[in-house]
Amino acid sequence: MPAPSRRTALVVSGLTLGVVATGCGEGATPPPARTGGRSDGPDETLLGEARTDLVAALALVRAARRAHPSLRPRLVGLQRTHRDQLSVLDPEGRTGPAEGPEVPARAPEALRSVVRAEERLVRRLVTWSVAAESGPLARALAASAAGVAQQLALLEEER
Amino acid sequence: MSGTGLASEQVADALQRVLAVEHAAVWTFGSLGAATSASATPLLLARVERAWTAHRGRRDRLHALLLDLGQQPVGSQAAYAVPSPLGRPVDVERAAARVELAGTQAWAFLVASTTSGTRRWAAGVLGELAVSAVAFGAEPEPLPGAGDLVGT
């Protein structure tokens, strides 16, 4: 994973504080977190879960590519995607490594296992996005789900 | 539905911005459909028509949400800039991908600006647009609609 820049570190801390500027064309103003006061606690917990799942997903993709050289080209996009997502959501690499995931012995089954895990990840990222108090965090999580959905669509196209 | 805990003016403003983007998308996909040959590229035409139908549905729902909020929905412009050139199928695909990518930014903004059911809908549309963009040939992105967060 590339070393996080200072700005990236500021961005990720901003995700749970609701201070990252987002926009929809010129002149858009950053949406604040919900009005009426909020606690950072729930979003920190939610972000931690998202990071853990992303680390686990990346570990499975890497393990599948290691175990099955024939899958390397097909899964390289997912690997890059998760690496880049973690560079945004966990720029300091606070999340510990995932336990060594089990990879099926046959490549087609390994691929199916990766796809199932990624489909589940998309659902969870959307759920966390909806649950997030911070608008910017919700945006980052929903965008991460969309990024994984793109990779799944490309994998489906190649079948 | 939307706006729990968020000022309704902020939600309405975000919905208006995204509605304006959807008006443009409906118009542009109409132009792309007109520029696509049903006999030479039927699959491309089907994809363009699917996208057009999807954008019309989103536009209509945004319109209804704004009325529910007591707001006058922003109307479409008389015309939009026609993507150019559109002579070849690859031109149509490129233009379609650009529209869908612009949509991801708008809908990601809506995710950030709303809550609960509307946010869930916005997140779903964001995913749909991201997938549609790559189907039209766009490069995949780690965070479609939030590329400003990557590589900074």
Side-chain angles (χ1 to χ4, degrees), chain A residues 85-143:
Chain A
Q85 290 168 340
L86 280 165
S87 77
V88 171
L89 293 171
D90 190 9
E92 292 166 353
R94 287 184 193 169
T95 311
E99 286 181 21
E102 285 188 19
V103 177
R106 294 181 59 248
E109 288 165 13
L111 181 59
R112 275 196 291 276
S113 157
V114 169
V115 167
R116 276 196 302 272
E118 297 291 336
E119 288 171 343
R120 178 172 176 269
L121 177 63
V122 169
R123 290 193 297 272
R124 285 170 65 88
L125 286 167
V126 169
T127 298
W128 289 320
S129 169
V130 174
E133 292 280 321
S134 151
L137 177 60
R139 174 176 176 258
L141 294 170

Side-chain angles (χ1 to χ4, degrees), chain B:
Chain B
M1 185 171 173
S2 62
T4 305
L6 279 172
S8 62
E9 309 86 59
Q10 289 170 344
V11 173
D13 179 64
L15 291 169
Q16 296 279 28
R17 288 171 186 273
V18 179
L19 176 57
V21 171
E22 287 301 318
H23 278 311
V26 169
W27 196 91
T28 305
F29 270 104
S31 300
L32 297 181
T36 305
S37 165
S39 55
T41 52
L43 293 179
L44 175 58
L45 181 61
R47 281 162 46 211
V48 167
E49 287 179 343
R50 269 200 302 277
W52 179 70
T53 302
H55 281 290
R56 283 181 50 137
R58 292 168 196 140
R59 177 201 63 186
D60 293 347
R61 187 164 168 185
L62 288 163
H63 193 277
L65 280 172
L66 281 158
L67 289 178
D68 287 347
L69 289 174
Q71 301 285 324
Q72 180 60 40
V74 64
S76 64
Q77 296 177 20
Y80 296 85
V82 182
S84 176
L86 288 180
R88 300 168 300 163
V90 69
D91 298 326
V92 171
E93 288 190 309
R94 196 174 295 134
R98 275 200 302 269
V99 173
E100 301 299 62
L101 288 177
T104 62
Q105 293 180 29
W107 285 85
F109 175 71
L110 194 60
V111 167
S113 307
T114 54
T115 59
S116 57
T118 303
R119 180 183 285 174
R120 182 175 292 281
W121 176 48
V125 173
L126 171 57
E128 291 166 13
L129 291 171
V131 168
S132 182
V134 293
F136 281 116
E139 287 295 316
E141 301 173 68
L143 287 95
D148 53 295
L149 298 177
V150 184
T152 50

Side-chain angles (χ1 to χ4, degrees), chain A residues 29-104:
Chain A
T29 52
R34 294 175 190 182
T35 54
R38 54 176 289 280
S39 159
D40 288 335
D43 274 2
E44 290 290 349
T45 303
L46 187 149
L47 180 56
E49 288 188 47
R51 287 168 169 165
T52 301
D53 268 26
L54 277 170
V55 167
L58 178 58
L60 178 59
V61 171
R62 281 183 170 148
R65 292 184 77 223
R66 261 199 310 273
H68 300 288
S70 65
L71 294 180
R72 283 179 190 164
R74 298 184 68 182
L75 295 179
V76 69
L78 259 179
Q79 182 169 317
R80 285 188 189 135
T81 295
H82 289 325
R83 192 191 55 205
D84 289 347
Q85 290 168 340
L86 280 165
S87 77
V88 171
L89 293 171
D90 190 9
E92 292 166 353
R94 287 184 193 169
T95 311
E99 286 181 21
E102 285 188 19
V103 177

